[in-house]
Amino acid sequence: MKSRETLLRLKRFQVDEKRRRVSQIEMMIADFHRMANDLDREIQAEEARAGIADPAHFAYPTYAKAALGRRDNLRQSADNLQGQLEEAKAELQEAFEDMKKVEILDDRERASERAAEAARDQATMDAIGLRSRA
C-alpha cells in the first residue's frame, strides 16, 4: 500500500518537473523573441538616425551592426530551444501517461481491496446472523 502511494507520488512529481521544464523553455523562447524585437526597433532607429539602412555600406553604424549580430544570435538560440521544447513536451507526455497508468492500477487495487473488505464484512454479518438464530 505504501509503496503504491510512494510510486504515485513519484510519478506526480516527475510530471510536475517536466511541466516546469516545458514552462521554463517556453518563457526563455518568449524572452529571446522579445529581446530580438527590441533590437529590431533599436536597429531601425539607429539606421534612421544615420540615414543608412544597408549593412554592407562602409558608413553603416557600428552599434546597428553589433545589434544585428546579437539579434541573429537570439533568434538562433530561440530556434535551438524550439527543438528542446519539442523534446521536453514529448517527455512530459510520456511521464503523464506513466502517471495515468499508475493511477489506474491504484484505482483497481483500491476497488479490489474494498470489495474484499465488503465480502469480509458480509461474512462477519452472516456469521452474527446465524449465531443469533441458533
Side-chain angles (χ1 to χ4, degrees):
M1 176 92 163
K2 269 219 190 271
S3 65
R4 191 173 16 153
E5 291 172 7
T6 304
L7 179 62
L8 187 56
R9 200 170 37 224
L10 172 67
K11 293 298 181 183
R12 286 182 179 145
F13 176 77
Q14 288 173 343
V15 166
D16 288 341
E17 281 298 308
K18 303 291 182 190
R19 199 174 282 142
R20 271 191 287 278
R21 175 89 172 119
V22 166
S23 178
Q24 285 176 334
I25 294 172
E26 287 174 338
M27 286 190 311
M28 287 172 60
I29 289 172
D31 285 345
F32 286 171
H33 284 300
R34 182 189 48 75
M35 289 187 292
N37 290 337
D38 290 346
L39 284 172
D40 270 339
R41 283 189 291 279
E42 290 179 26
I43 291 166
Q44 289 172 353
E46 189 67 22
E47 289 174 348
R49 205 174 1 262
I52 301 169
D54 181 15
H57 192 277
F58 73 94
Y60 190 75
T62 306
Y63 174 75
K65 196 174 276 190
L68 280 170
R70 285 196 302 275
R71 180 201 62 197
D72 292 343
N73 285 341
L74 284 169
R75 287 184 177 159
Q76 184 178 10
S77 294
D79 291 343
N80 291 341
L81 281 175
Q82 196 65 40
Q84 290 181 21
L85 177 61
E86 296 306 317
E87 289 176 19
K89 283 182 177 181
E91 289 174 5
L92 172 60
Q93 181 66 30
E94 185 177 316
F96 186 75
E97 289 171 1
D98 286 348
M99 182 187 72
K100 280 299 175 192
K101 287 177 188 175
V102 171
E103 284 178 345
I104 290 169
L105 180 62
D106 184 52
D107 289 345
R108 285 182 187 162
E109 288 178 1
R110 286 181 193 270
S112 66
E113 287 171 1
R114 283 192 300 269
E117 186 176 333
R120 281 192 304 273
D121 289 347
Q122 186 61 46
T124 303
M125 292 302 203
D126 290 346
I128 291 171
L130 288 175
R131 270 190 255 141
S132 65
R133 285 187 178 174

